[in-house]
mmCIF file of all heavy atoms in Angstrom:
data_model
loop_
_atom_site.group_PDB
_atom_site.id
_atom_site.type_symbol
_atom_site.label_atom_id
_atom_site.label_comp_id
_atom_site.label_asym_id
_atom_site.label_seq_id
_atom_site.Cartn_x
_atom_site.Cartn_y
_atom_site.Cartn_z
ATOM 1 N N LEU O 3 232.712 110.269 227.625
ATOM 2 C CA LEU O 3 232.449 108.987 226.974
ATOM 3 C C LEU O 3 233.756 108.245 226.790
ATOM 4 O O LEU O 3 234.715 108.778 226.219
ATOM 5 C CB LEU O 3 231.763 109.202 225.626
ATOM 6 C CG LEU O 3 231.586 107.977 224.725
ATOM 7 C CD1 LEU O 3 230.728 106.913 225.405
ATOM 8 C CD2 LEU O 3 230.999 108.372 223.378
ATOM 9 N N ARG O 4 233.802 107.018 227.258
ATOM 10 C CA ARG O 4 234.992 106.178 227.096
ATOM 11 C C ARG O 4 234.591 104.890 226.379
ATOM 12 O O ARG O 4 233.541 104.314 226.669
ATOM 13 C CB ARG O 4 235.613 105.857 228.451
ATOM 14 C CG ARG O 4 235.911 107.095 229.289
ATOM 15 C CD ARG O 4 236.578 106.745 230.613
ATOM 16 N NE ARG O 4 236.663 107.916 231.490
ATOM 17 C CZ ARG O 4 237.594 108.848 231.402
ATOM 18 N NH1 ARG O 4 238.542 108.739 230.474
ATOM 19 N NH2 ARG O 4 237.601 109.890 232.241
ATOM 20 N N GLY O 5 235.426 104.455 225.447
ATOM 21 C CA GLY O 5 235.143 103.237 224.710
ATOM 22 C C GLY O 5 235.234 103.447 223.200
ATOM 23 O O GLY O 5 235.702 104.505 222.727
ATOM 24 N N ALA O 6 234.752 102.454 222.447
ATOM 25 C CA ALA O 6 234.890 102.478 220.999
ATOM 26 C C ALA O 6 234.185 103.658 220.349
ATOM 27 O O ALA O 6 234.636 104.151 219.311
ATOM 28 C CB ALA O 6 234.365 101.166 220.416
ATOM 29 N N SER O 7 233.092 104.120 220.935
ATOM 30 C CA SER O 7 232.312 105.200 220.326
ATOM 31 C C SER O 7 232.855 106.584 220.662
ATOM 32 O O SER O 7 232.277 107.595 220.221
ATOM 33 C CB SER O 7 230.853 105.114 220.770
ATOM 34 O OG SER O 7 230.288 103.871 220.395
ATOM 35 N N SER O 8 233.913 106.663 221.441
ATOM 36 C CA SER O 8 234.422 107.969 221.871
ATOM 37 C C SER O 8 234.955 108.801 220.705
ATOM 38 O O SER O 8 235.088 110.021 220.838
ATOM 39 C CB SER O 8 235.516 107.788 222.921
ATOM 40 O OG SER O 8 236.606 107.048 222.384
ATOM 41 N N THR O 9 235.258 108.165 219.577
ATOM 42 C CA THR O 9 235.738 108.899 218.396
ATOM 43 C C THR O 9 234.620 109.222 217.421
ATOM 44 O O THR O 9 234.857 109.874 216.409
ATOM 45 C CB THR O 9 236.832 108.090 217.663
ATOM 46 O OG1 THR O 9 236.297 106.817 217.291
ATOM 47 C CG2 THR O 9 238.037 107.869 218.573
ATOM 48 N N ASN O 10 233.406 108.776 217.743
ATOM 49 C CA ASN O 10 232.250 109.012 216.876
ATOM 50 C C ASN O 10 231.692 110.408 217.154
ATOM 51 O O ASN O 10 231.209 110.667 218.272
ATOM 52 C CB ASN O 10 231.193 107.944 217.130
ATOM 53 C CG ASN O 10 229.983 108.099 216.225
ATOM 54 O OD1 ASN O 10 229.744 109.131 215.618
ATOM 55 N ND2 ASN O 10 229.196 107.029 216.130
ATOM 56 N N PRO O 11 231.736 111.326 216.188
ATOM 57 C CA PRO O 11 231.262 112.695 216.457
ATOM 58 C C PRO O 11 229.782 112.757 216.814
ATOM 59 O O PRO O 11 229.378 113.618 217.610
ATOM 60 C CB PRO O 11 231.569 113.449 215.152
ATOM 61 C CG PRO O 11 231.718 112.389 214.122
ATOM 62 C CD PRO O 11 232.264 111.199 214.806
ATOM 63 N N VAL O 12 228.979 111.878 216.238
ATOM 64 C CA VAL O 12 227.554 111.862 216.577
ATOM 65 C C VAL O 12 227.370 111.434 218.040
ATOM 66 O O VAL O 12 226.558 112.003 218.768
ATOM 67 C CB VAL O 12 226.771 110.928 215.633
ATOM 68 C CG1 VAL O 12 225.301 110.904 216.024
ATOM 69 C CG2 VAL O 12 226.935 111.377 214.178
ATOM 70 N N ALA O 13 228.144 110.436 218.475
ATOM 71 C CA ALA O 13 228.062 109.993 219.862
ATOM 72 C C ALA O 13 228.529 111.094 220.800
ATOM 73 O O ALA O 13 227.948 111.292 221.869
ATOM 74 C CB ALA O 13 228.900 108.734 220.049
ATOM 75 N N ARG O 14 229.577 111.815 220.414
ATOM 76 C CA ARG O 14 230.058 112.898 221.274
ATOM 77 C C ARG O 14 229.001 113.999 221.422
ATOM 78 O O ARG O 14 228.829 114.570 222.496
ATOM 79 C CB ARG O 14 231.362 113.467 220.724
ATOM 80 C CG ARG O 14 232.550 112.505 220.810
ATOM 81 C CD ARG O 14 233.870 113.272 220.776
ATOM 82 N NE ARG O 14 234.009 114.023 219.529
ATOM 83 C CZ ARG O 14 234.604 113.555 218.428
ATOM 84 N NH1 ARG O 14 235.096 112.328 218.427
ATOM 85 N NH2 ARG O 14 234.703 114.314 217.345
ATOM 86 N N ASP O 15 228.293 114.282 220.324
ATOM 87 C CA ASP O 15 227.210 115.280 220.413
ATOM 88 C C ASP O 15 226.103 114.786 221.334
ATOM 89 O O ASP O 15 225.535 115.577 222.103
ATOM 90 C CB ASP O 15 226.642 115.552 219.013
ATOM 91 C CG ASP O 15 227.603 116.327 218.121
ATOM 92 O OD1 ASP O 15 228.546 116.938 218.665
ATOM 93 O OD2 ASP O 15 227.424 116.313 216.891
ATOM 94 N N ALA O 16 225.809 113.488 221.285
ATOM 95 C CA ALA O 16 224.778 112.931 222.163
ATOM 96 C C ALA O 16 225.205 113.025 223.617
ATOM 97 O O ALA O 16 224.369 113.261 224.508
ATOM 98 C CB ALA O 16 224.494 111.472 221.770
ATOM 99 N N VAL O 17 226.496 112.853 223.883
ATOM 100 C CA VAL O 17 227.006 112.969 225.256
ATOM 101 C C VAL O 17 226.878 114.404 225.749
ATOM 102 O O VAL O 17 226.543 114.642 226.925
ATOM 103 C CB VAL O 17 228.457 112.476 225.322
ATOM 104 C CG1 VAL O 17 229.064 112.797 226.677
ATOM 105 C CG2 VAL O 17 228.522 110.975 225.074
ATOM 106 N N GLU O 18 227.131 115.358 224.887
ATOM 107 C CA GLU O 18 226.964 116.767 225.277
ATOM 108 C C GLU O 18 225.518 117.057 225.638
ATOM 109 O O GLU O 18 225.227 117.788 226.586
ATOM 110 C CB GLU O 18 227.443 117.684 224.154
ATOM 111 C CG GLU O 18 228.954 117.691 223.969
ATOM 112 C CD GLU O 18 229.394 118.716 222.942
ATOM 113 O OE1 GLU O 18 228.534 119.499 222.484
ATOM 114 O OE2 GLU O 18 230.592 118.741 222.602
ATOM 115 N N GLU O 19 224.588 116.484 224.881
ATOM 116 C CA GLU O 19 223.173 116.641 225.208
ATOM 117 C C GLU O 19 222.854 115.988 226.537
ATOM 118 O O GLU O 19 222.052 116.510 227.333
ATOM 119 C CB GLU O 19 222.299 116.039 224.094
ATOM 120 C CG GLU O 19 222.401 116.759 222.768
ATOM 121 C CD GLU O 19 221.582 116.110 221.673
ATOM 122 O OE1 GLU O 19 220.889 115.106 221.997
ATOM 123 O OE2 GLU O 19 221.621 116.577 220.533
ATOM 124 N N GLU O 20 223.464 114.843 226.798
ATOM 125 C CA GLU O 20 223.276 114.164 228.073
ATOM 126 C C GLU O 20 223.794 115.024 229.218
ATOM 127 O O GLU O 20 223.147 115.160 230.264
ATOM 128 C CB GLU O 20 224.025 112.824 228.050
ATOM 129 C CG GLU O 20 224.153 112.122 229.375
ATOM 130 C CD GLU O 20 222.870 111.479 229.847
ATOM 131 O OE1 GLU O 20 221.854 111.592 229.139
ATOM 132 O OE2 GLU O 20 222.869 110.869 230.905
ATOM 133 N N GLN O 21 224.941 115.636 229.017
ATOM 134 C CA GLN O 21 225.505 116.508 230.047
ATOM 135 C C GLN O 21 224.593 117.705 230.306
ATOM 136 O O GLN O 21 224.360 118.074 231.460
ATOM 137 C CB GLN O 21 226.877 116.998 229.572
ATOM 138 C CG GLN O 21 227.574 117.966 230.517
ATOM 139 C CD GLN O 21 228.987 118.292 230.068
ATOM 140 O OE1 GLN O 21 229.844 117.424 229.996
ATOM 141 N NE2 GLN O 21 229.216 119.549 229.731
ATOM 142 N N ASP O 22 224.049 118.294 229.225
ATOM 143 C CA ASP O 22 223.132 119.430 229.379
ATOM 144 C C ASP O 22 221.875 118.995 230.128
ATOM 145 O O ASP O 22 221.338 119.774 230.945
ATOM 146 C CB ASP O 22 222.771 120.012 228.020
ATOM 147 C CG ASP O 22 223.940 120.681 227.328
ATOM 148 O OD1 ASP O 22 224.922 121.031 228.020
ATOM 149 O OD2 ASP O 22 223.887 120.856 226.087
ATOM 150 N N GLY O 23 221.391 117.777 229.882
ATOM 151 C CA GLY O 23 220.199 117.291 230.558
ATOM 152 C C GLY O 23 220.415 117.126 232.048
ATOM 153 O O GLY O 23 219.556 117.492 232.857
ATOM 154 N N ILE O 24 221.565 116.580 232.434
ATOM 155 C CA ILE O 24 221.892 116.433 233.871
ATOM 156 C C ILE O 24 222.034 117.801 234.522
ATOM 157 O O ILE O 24 221.557 118.031 235.632
ATOM 158 C CB ILE O 24 223.168 115.603 234.040
ATOM 159 C CG1 ILE O 24 222.963 114.167 233.529
ATOM 160 C CG2 ILE O 24 223.597 115.566 235.505
ATOM 161 C CD1 ILE O 24 224.197 113.308 233.568
ATOM 162 N N GLN O 25 222.670 118.723 233.800
ATOM 163 C CA GLN O 25 222.842 120.084 234.311
ATOM 164 C C GLN O 25 221.494 120.733 234.586
ATOM 165 O O GLN O 25 221.273 121.330 235.649
ATOM 166 C CB GLN O 25 223.625 120.929 233.296
ATOM 167 C CG GLN O 25 223.885 122.354 233.732
ATOM 168 C CD GLN O 25 225.051 122.476 234.690
ATOM 169 O OE1 GLN O 25 226.149 122.041 234.384
ATOM 170 N NE2 GLN O 25 224.811 123.074 235.848
ATOM 171 N N GLU O 26 220.568 120.585 233.638
ATOM 172 C CA GLU O 26 219.233 121.188 233.817
ATOM 173 C C GLU O 26 218.512 120.575 235.011
ATOM 174 O O GLU O 26 217.827 121.280 235.751
ATOM 175 C CB GLU O 26 218.414 121.002 232.529
ATOM 176 C CG GLU O 26 218.909 121.834 231.354
ATOM 177 C CD GLU O 26 218.128 121.570 230.098
ATOM 178 O OE1 GLU O 26 217.154 120.763 230.157
ATOM 179 O OE2 GLU O 26 218.462 122.148 229.059
ATOM 180 N N ASP O 27 218.646 119.260 235.189
ATOM 181 C CA ASP O 27 217.973 118.600 236.313
ATOM 182 C C ASP O 27 218.512 119.116 237.638
ATOM 183 O O ASP O 27 217.743 119.397 238.579
ATOM 184 C CB ASP O 27 218.159 117.090 236.220
ATOM 185 C CG ASP O 27 217.362 116.468 235.080
ATOM 186 O OD1 ASP O 27 216.402 117.121 234.603
ATOM 187 O OD2 ASP O 27 217.700 115.347 234.662
ATOM 188 N N LEU O 28 219.836 119.251 237.752
ATOM 189 C CA LEU O 28 220.421 119.713 239.012
ATOM 190 C C LEU O 28 220.190 121.200 239.261
ATOM 191 O O LEU O 28 220.121 121.635 240.410
ATOM 192 C CB LEU O 28 221.918 119.387 239.025
ATOM 193 C CG LEU O 28 222.277 117.893 239.028
ATOM 194 C CD1 LEU O 28 223.798 117.716 239.013
ATOM 195 C CD2 LEU O 28 221.682 117.194 240.239
ATOM 196 N N ASP O 29 220.084 121.971 238.181
ATOM 197 C CA ASP O 29 219.824 123.409 238.334
ATOM 198 C C ASP O 29 218.467 123.685 238.954
ATOM 199 O O ASP O 29 218.218 124.796 239.454
ATOM 200 C CB ASP O 29 219.921 124.123 236.977
ATOM 201 C CG ASP O 29 221.362 124.264 236.498
ATOM 202 O OD1 ASP O 29 222.285 124.037 237.325
ATOM 203 O OD2 ASP O 29 221.582 124.605 235.319
ATOM 204 N N LYS O 30 217.576 122.700 238.919
ATOM 205 C CA LYS O 30 216.237 122.883 239.484
ATOM 206 C C LYS O 30 216.262 122.847 241.010
ATOM 207 O O LYS O 30 215.244 123.114 241.656
ATOM 208 C CB LYS O 30 215.294 121.802 238.962
ATOM 209 C CG LYS O 30 215.072 121.846 237.455
ATOM 210 C CD LYS O 30 214.220 120.665 236.998
ATOM 211 C CE LYS O 30 214.043 120.667 235.489
ATOM 212 N NZ LYS O 30 213.253 119.481 235.024
ATOM 213 N N LEU O 31 217.411 122.494 241.588
ATOM 214 C CA LEU O 31 217.526 122.383 243.049
ATOM 215 C C LEU O 31 218.636 123.320 243.539
ATOM 216 O O LEU O 31 219.705 122.855 243.954
ATOM 217 C CB LEU O 31 217.844 120.937 243.445
ATOM 218 C CG LEU O 31 216.835 119.872 242.970
ATOM 219 C CD1 LEU O 31 217.371 118.470 243.234
ATOM 220 C CD2 LEU O 31 215.497 120.077 243.654
ATOM 221 N N PRO O 32 218.374 124.645 243.523
ATOM 222 C CA PRO O 32 219.439 125.588 243.903
ATOM 223 C C PRO O 32 219.657 125.718 245.401
ATOM 224 O O PRO O 32 220.681 126.248 245.830
ATOM 225 C CB PRO O 32 218.947 126.919 243.324
ATOM 226 C CG PRO O 32 217.453 126.797 243.369
ATOM 227 C CD PRO O 32 217.149 125.342 243.086
ATOM 228 N N LEU O 33 218.692 125.246 246.206
ATOM 229 C CA LEU O 33 218.783 125.383 247.655
ATOM 230 C C LEU O 33 218.904 124.012 248.309
ATOM 231 O O LEU O 33 218.252 123.056 247.885
ATOM 232 C CB LEU O 33 217.569 126.130 248.218
ATOM 233 C CG LEU O 33 217.339 127.552 247.714
ATOM 234 C CD1 LEU O 33 216.067 128.108 248.310
ATOM 235 C CD2 LEU O 33 218.528 128.447 248.035
ATOM 236 N N TYR O 34 219.721 123.938 249.338
ATOM 237 C CA TYR O 34 219.904 122.683 250.079
ATOM 238 C C TYR O 34 219.243 122.849 251.446
ATOM 239 O O TYR O 34 219.623 123.728 252.220
ATOM 240 C CB TYR O 34 221.388 122.377 250.242
ATOM 241 C CG TYR O 34 221.673 121.010 250.822
ATOM 242 C CD1 TYR O 34 221.951 119.935 249.994
ATOM 243 C CD2 TYR O 34 221.664 120.785 252.202
ATOM 244 C CE1 TYR O 34 222.217 118.680 250.519
ATOM 245 C CE2 TYR O 34 221.917 119.537 252.728
ATOM 246 C CZ TYR O 34 222.201 118.476 251.870
ATOM 247 O OH TYR O 34 222.440 117.240 252.396
ATOM 248 N N PRO O 35 218.268 121.974 251.776
ATOM 249 C CA PRO O 35 217.611 122.091 253.080
ATOM 250 C C PRO O 35 218.500 121.556 254.196
ATOM 251 O O PRO O 35 219.144 120.515 254.055
ATOM 252 C CB PRO O 35 216.363 121.227 252.906
ATOM 253 C CG PRO O 35 216.758 120.207 251.883
ATOM 254 C CD PRO O 35 217.704 120.908 250.941
#
């Protein structure tokens, strides 16, 4: 996260959740055709 909210601990926690969500989405595709 870059910008004014980057020092907001609540925003940083939300970004971590966002990162976990992207990770889970990509983990569903372990094989490349």
